[in-house]
Amino acid sequence: MNASPYSPEEASGVWVYLEHRDGKLEGVSLELLGRSRELAQETGESLTALLLGEQVEPLAEEAIAAGADRVLVAEHALLGQYTTEPFTKVITGLIVEQRPNILLLGATTNGRDLAGRLAVRLRTGLTADCTDLSIGPKSGLLLGEVTGFGHGILATIECPVHRPQMATVRPGVFPRPVADPTHSGKVERVDVILSASDQPVRVVKQTSRRAADVTQAERLVIGGRGMEGDFALLRRLAKAVHADVGATRVAVDQGWVREDRMIGQTGSVTRPKLAIICGASGAMQFTVGVKDSETIIAINSDPEAPIFEVADYCVAEDAFQVIPPLIEALRREPVEEKS
Amino acid sequence: MHTIVCLKVVPKSEEVTIDDETKTLDRSKARSEINPPDMNAVEMALKLKERNGGTVSLLAMGPPLFEPYLRLGLAMGADQAFLMSDRAFGGADTLATSYVLAEGIKAIGSFDLVLCGDESSDGATGQVPPGIAEWLGLPQATDVRRVDVSDGSLSARRELGAGSEVVEADLPCVVSVKHDVNEPRFLDSGRWDWAMNEAPVQIWSATDLEIDVEKAGVPGSPTVVAGVSVAEGADRRREFLSGSPEEIATQLADKIRAWVKP
Ligand SMILES: Cc1cc2nc3c(=O)[nH]c(=O)nc-3n(C[C@H](O)[C@H](O)[C@H](O)COP(=O)(O)OP(=O)(O)OC[C@H]3O[C@@H](n4cnc5c(N)ncnc54)[C@H](O)[C@@H]3O)c2cc1C
Ligand SMILES: Cc1cc2nc3c(=O)[nH]c(=O)nc-3n(C[C@H](O)[C@H](O)[C@H](O)COP(=O)(O)OP(=O)(O)OC[C@H]3O[C@@H](n4cnc5c(N)ncnc54)[C@H](O)[C@@H]3O)c2cc1C
């Protein structure tokens, strides 16, 4: 057996790893705090947030307002930018010392990079890309809900004897908690001992661009393979209904749309008031990203397409025949800007 | 320069069907293929070999039916292939999978670079490459689009959600390659006979490599599938609109306006 550093009996506490950029917590970290607050209540444990970086202490307040009872702040020049080893080393040290029961991370590029490394260093289990997290009513174990085992099938993965129980979650899976400035928590600074030899990988250049955040969109126009690359048409429709544009993985893989707009298990999970889905078949890895929409309109030329099973209004037509007159109709009597 | 590429063989995702009875994935009718980003990793390795000389090895963990796929990699231009195949490796989660692959890498011998795909098309966790790096105690660079190697060091461009970064590390290290970053070459017909018939594909069992079977397969896997359930269908209207495209467009526009207005 691969033995983890401590046993379930010795473990306590729910921990969330916080990611941040440009002096702000990432949305997925806030979402995790919100859900973890509920999980911690269920297990009767406290919620700890892990904040690593250089001069990041001011962010601790935001984490407390989002539900953390305690924020562990680790500051060091070698933590100024994410690289695998310094982050793994500092977090491993804290985990072995304080023995949390659960450790959750956002399934971002760096979150997955870190989680995959940490889980092996700690010899524990890691559930990837959960679409929900809950606590087993009898076992008290963390249950990670995952798709990918069949159409309409949800599997739960658990980690019975290794600690911490680890999982990653995609952005948007949980709603963002409303900040509660009256929630109190403590900030603990931890000692960090790192030297240059702890950083075998150095970042020599970084290019950032503003990534689209579709998780918070109120309205979405989403295109799939059936759009045959014509996202200009979808952008016009989106403009007419004041919506953001999203895409299936196929549309992203084809290079029609950038990856930050991908919706689904590998992309983002969204919960708009209105989603208009055009030329997408309705694969489960996609529909997990829209199933919480208030209203779904689907346009697909195949009347048998599974997307219609999850739609409120179904249009079994060629999208190229329906969308231009739809844009026209919306132009004649425009949609108001904001509800 | 010696590059080891980890190849997973996966069911073609578009051919996986759903068993009507159990609603679970039926992989039996699907043909297999090399996991798509792993093809990009092979191509990257072959390009590095063209530039820097050296050897490309292929490594897979899986049942004997993986062997022909390793031979395809040899026909593309790889020099040697290794298949770790043992019942004791079955049912592994990513901790156990990365342990076994790391043992295989050590058995192959000295190397400069390990290339993996960024994720498989079936399990899709992306956890195996960082896992291998940790078992080997080597630096890692994940989600990489481009690599350059010179003077024993690596420069790699990682794709991040909001941008990209260039990282540097000393070799050896472990890299995971994004899907579609290059155009995998066709099989070289001149290598075909050799690859299919003569080339050695070394098959290793747990005993061959003295692998601790308690760390492999099911015993070595901390995660378990606790249950499967049928997803509750959302309560949707599923109302089909009818008429000409223009009539449908008018109906849709009315509905959209109704929702969007206060
Ligand atoms: C591990 C894993 C993770 C994945 N993650 C995601 C994810 O996050 N997001 C995601 O989207 N996918 C994901 N996928 C892929 C997913 O399984 C599907 O392959 C994908 O969603 C299909 O995209 P699509 O609907 O655009 O294409 P298709 O399935 O090819 O569907 C195209 C549809 O367009 C319709 N059509 C064609 N022409 C027209 C027309 N003129 N007008 C109207 N309709 C038309 C067709 O009838 C068809 O239904 C994942 C897969 C795996 C294995
Ligand atoms: C639907 C589903 C969900 C799963 N969820 C989890 C989970 O949450 N946690 C967990 O621990 N396990 C999970 N598993 C099990 C996991 O898929 C297996 O452990 C698998 O052996 C490796 O993981 P992966 O396919 O996710 O690989 P990834 O980490 O996605 O693969 C990345 C790369 O690693 C290399 N690689 C991976 N496997 C091999 C191999 N056998 N031979 C050679 N190279 C390889 C390839 O280069 C590949 O491109 C899941 C399996 C399924 C089917």
Side-chain angles (χ1 to χ4, degrees):
Chain A
M1 199 176 100
N2 287 306
S4 59
Y6 51 96
S7 68
E9 294 71 38
E10 298 169 301
S12 166
V14 179
W15 284 23
V16 171
Y17 167 71
L18 300 178
E19 277 188 77
H20 51 86
R21 193 163 31 124
D22 304 333
K24 272 166 80 181
L25 293 181
E26 290 281 6
V28 68
S29 301
L30 294 169
E31 292 153 19
L32 278 175
L33 284 171
R35 183 70 180 132
S36 302
R37 177 77 258 147
E38 298 165 356
L39 297 176
Q41 233 125 37
E42 266 180 71
T43 60
E45 297 174 327
S46 68
L47 174 58
T48 298
L50 285 177
L51 184 55
L52 279 67
E54 204 181 359
Q55 296 168 353
V56 287
E57 197 172 328
L59 294 176
E61 248 170 70
E62 201 184 342
I64 291 170
D69 298 312
R70 182 173 77 129
V71 184
L72 295 178
V73 179
E75 294 186 324
H76 194 282
L78 290 178
L79 300 173
Q81 254 168 337
Y82 173 79
T83 51
T84 316
E85 183 55 27
F87 278 63
T88 305
K89 187 173 180 184
V90 169
I91 296 173
T92 301
L94 291 168
I95 286 176
V96 170
E97 177 193 289
Q98 306 197 16
R99 307 183 165 186
N101 189 19
I102 292 173
L103 172 63
L104 305 175
L105 302 92
T108 59
T109 306
N110 284 339
R112 277 160 64 108
D113 182 274
L114 174 63
R117 184 97 192 194
L118 265 175
V120 173
R121 188 158 303 178
L122 295 163
R123 304 285 193 266
T124 192
L126 171 59
T127 307
D129 294 346
C130 299
T131 49
D132 197 8
L133 294 170
S134 58
I135 301 294
K138 290 210 195 75
S139 62
L141 293 173
L142 177 72
L143 303 181
E145 179 190 282
V146 298
T147 60
F149 286 86
H151 186 67
I153 298 286
L154 295 172
T156 44
I157 296 185
E158 60 184 32
C159 176
V161 290
H162 296 69
R163 293 295 177 274
Q165 305 168 78
M166 289 180 63
T168 62
V169 177
R170 292 277 174 186
V173 166
F174 301 119
R176 260 176 224 176
V178 181
D180 174 5
T182 66
H183 185 256
S184 67
K186 52 179 196 282
V187 179
E188 286 175 30
R189 295 183 61 86
V190 299
D191 292 330
V192 179
I193 303 161
L194 287 172
S195 63
S197 64
D198 290 314
Q199 195 169 45
V201 178
R202 301 158 301 274
V203 178
V204 293
K205 194 171 133 197
Q206 224 165 17
T207 332
S208 64
R209 61 161 187 259
R210 259 192 51 184
D213 182 4
V214 288
T215 65
Q216 305 303 305
E218 295 235 329
R219 280 167 229 126
L220 278 170
V221 170
I222 301 164
R225 193 202 304 268
M227 293 314 296
E228 292 164 30
D230 194 354
F231 269 71
L233 182 62
L234 291 188
R235 278 186 211 104
R236 274 165 49 214
L237 175 59
K239 201 163 168 226
V241 291
H242 311 295
D244 276 330
V245 171
T248 66
R249 180 152 119 181
V250 170
V252 171
D253 286 349
Q254 296 289 330
W256 302 337
V257 183
R258 276 223 309 257
E259 194 171 343
D260 44 12
R261 295 191 181 274
M262 191 203 304
I263 288 171
Q265 178 187 328
T266 315
S268 299
V269 176
T270 63
R271 44 175 64 71
K273 290 200 164 64
L274 172 66
I276 307 178
I277 302 170
C278 312
S281 58
M284 183 154 182
Q285 291 94 358
F286 167 72
T287 55
V288 291
V290 290
K291 70 173 170 30
D292 291 334
S293 310
E294 253 169 54
T295 302
I296 295 180
I297 297 175
I299 307 177
N300 190 309
S301 47
D302 172 8
E304 304 289 321
I307 191 68
F308 292 132
E309 290 166 26
V310 299
D312 296 287
Y313 298 98
C314 309
V315 178
E317 270 290 347
D318 181 350
F320 297 100
Q321 299 295 316
V322 177
I323 297 175
L326 174 59
I327 295 171
E328 264 315 298
L330 290 163
R331 280 225 183 102
R332 281 198 298 275
E333 208 184 310
V335 164
E336 274 165 37
E337 174 64 68
K338 184 83 194 165
S339 51
Chain B
M1 160 153 197
H2 182 194
T3 305
I4 300 174
V5 183
C6 294
L7 281 191
K8 187 178 184 187
V9 179
V10 294
K12 281 194 173 181
S13 46
E14 64 270 23
E15 291 180 9
V16 174
T17 52
I18 311 295
D19 184 316
D20 276 340
E21 290 279 295
T22 63
K23 298 280 180 217
T24 49
L25 296 185
D26 181 359
R27 297 191 171 87
S28 60
K29 291 183 202 74
R31 282 170 294 173
S32 296
E33 63 178 350
I34 296 173
N35 182 43
D38 303 6
M39 290 291 281
N40 300 112
V42 173
E43 178 61 31
M44 195 178 265
L46 294 174
K47 285 251 171 59
L48 286 171
K49 178 181 161 179
E50 282 163 8
R51 246 179 279 146
N52 307 299
T55 315
V56 174
S57 302
L58 307 176
L59 174 67
M61 178 194 84
L65 67 87
F66 279 24
E67 188 186 322
Y69 297 90
L70 289 170
R71 292 191 182 276
L72 292 179
L74 293 170
M76 281 172 75
D79 301 286
Q80 47 181 354
F82 303 85
L83 175 59
M84 310 185 72
S85 198
D86 198 307
R87 281 184 184 278
F89 302 155
D93 72 3
T94 57
L95 181 64
T97 300
S98 56
Y99 164 71
V100 169
L101 288 171
E103 289 299 304
I105 290 167
K106 285 189 219 161
I108 292 174
S110 70
F111 60 92
D112 302 287
L113 183 61
V114 176
L115 293 182
C116 295
D118 64 341
E119 63 176 44
S120 72
S121 68
D122 55 349
T125 64
Q127 288 166 193
V128 169
I132 291 174
E134 174 62 17
W135 284 109
L136 296 173
L138 294 178
Q140 73 192 47
T142 52
D143 292 281
V144 165
R145 167 165 296 277
R146 210 197 59 220
V147 296
D148 284 308
V149 167
S150 65
D151 296 335
S153 72
L154 169 99
S155 154
R157 173 181 292 276
R158 300 182 65 216
E159 281 302 311
L160 306 173
S164 64
E165 66 183 21
V166 178
V167 297
E168 282 178 3
D170 291 341
L171 296 175
C173 60
V174 178
V175 166
S176 83
V177 177
K178 295 228 27 128
H179 185 209
D180 267 351
V181 297
N182 53 31
E183 196 69 51
R185 66 194 62 192
F186 289 115
L187 309 180
D188 178 346
S189 56
R191 296 174 68 88
W192 182 260
D193 275 340
W194 171 79
M196 291 303 141
N197 306 308
E198 291 160 40
V201 172
Q202 177 76 51
I203 313 245
W204 279 327
S205 69
T207 7
D208 290 338
L209 299 191
E210 293 174 21
I211 284 176
D212 181 351
V213 291
E214 289 298 304
K215 289 186 179 172
V218 174
S221 297
T223 60
V224 293
V225 177
V228 288
S229 60
V230 177
E232 47 183 287
D235 213 2
R236 296 282 173 194
R237 294 172 72 105
R238 300 179 62 184
E239 178 185 328
F240 278 81
L241 305 184
S242 55
S244 69
E246 287 73 21
E247 286 160 2
I248 290 175
T250 314
Q251 294 171 54
L252 276 182
D254 288 343
K255 295 194 190 303
I256 291 171
R257 259 185 236 107
W259 297 311
V260 172
K261 272 189 188 149

